[in-house]
Amino acid sequence: MRYELLKEIHKAKDEICKSVYKQLKSKENNIAFFINEPCYFYDVESVDRYDFKRMFIEEVTVMVEYTVGNGYEPCEYKRETDKLSSFELGEICEIIKKIKD
């Protein structure tokens, strides 16, 4: 049962990423920007603050550019760019909520 459910979650994540790709393809320059509001992702022992900058298409992959730091008010940030698909399903939902309309 667990395997089948995890497989369904993986399929849902792939479908969401494909949908984001299609939406981005229809936007000018294939770029979307985010609202200026932090997003917090929680781990077992810590919290990380993400400030999403932009989402764009690189070849056929949706990429997300952001800064990340440890804690609610980090002293240091790292600038990162990762594939949208590298995030967990719940994180992808939070990322989508931060897109400017």
Side-chain angles (χ1 to χ4, degrees):
M1 180 174 149
R2 178 178 53 133
Y3 176 76
E4 287 81 15
L5 292 171
L6 290 172
K7 192 170 150 183
E8 289 299 316
I9 290 170
H10 183 74
K11 276 200 265 184
K13 180 179 160 181
D14 286 346
E15 289 301 314
I16 291 169
C17 289
K18 286 177 188 176
S19 181
V20 170
Y21 177 85
K22 287 178 190 174
Q23 292 287 324
L24 269 179
K25 264 311 230 195
S26 69
K27 295 195 64 76
E28 186 177 334
N29 298 324
N30 301 327
I31 296 174
F33 293 95
F34 295 95
I35 59 175
N36 188 20
E37 185 177 290
C39 189
Y40 299 95
F41 293 153
Y42 301 90
D43 199 352
V44 175
E45 296 180 9
S46 68
V47 61
D48 290 323
R49 176 180 168 156
Y50 286 74
D51 291 288
F52 296 104
K53 305 301 180 192
R54 67 185 179 120
M55 184 184 301
F56 59 95
I57 295 174
E58 186 175 274
E59 295 180 17
V60 293
T61 304
V62 176
M63 304 298 290
V64 180
E65 184 180 306
Y66 59 94
T67 58
V68 61
N70 187 260
Y72 288 100
E73 293 295 329
C75 295
E76 295 180 23
Y77 288 93
K78 286 191 312 187
R79 188 172 203 90
E80 300 281 342
T81 303
D82 286 317
K83 296 177 184 178
L84 179 64
S85 61
S86 70
F87 291 92
E88 297 293 327
L89 183 58
E91 294 170 342
I92 292 172
C93 291
E94 292 303 314
I95 292 168
I96 290 170
K97 289 177 186 178
K98 301 295 181 193
I99 296 173
K100 279 186 187 177
D101 280 334

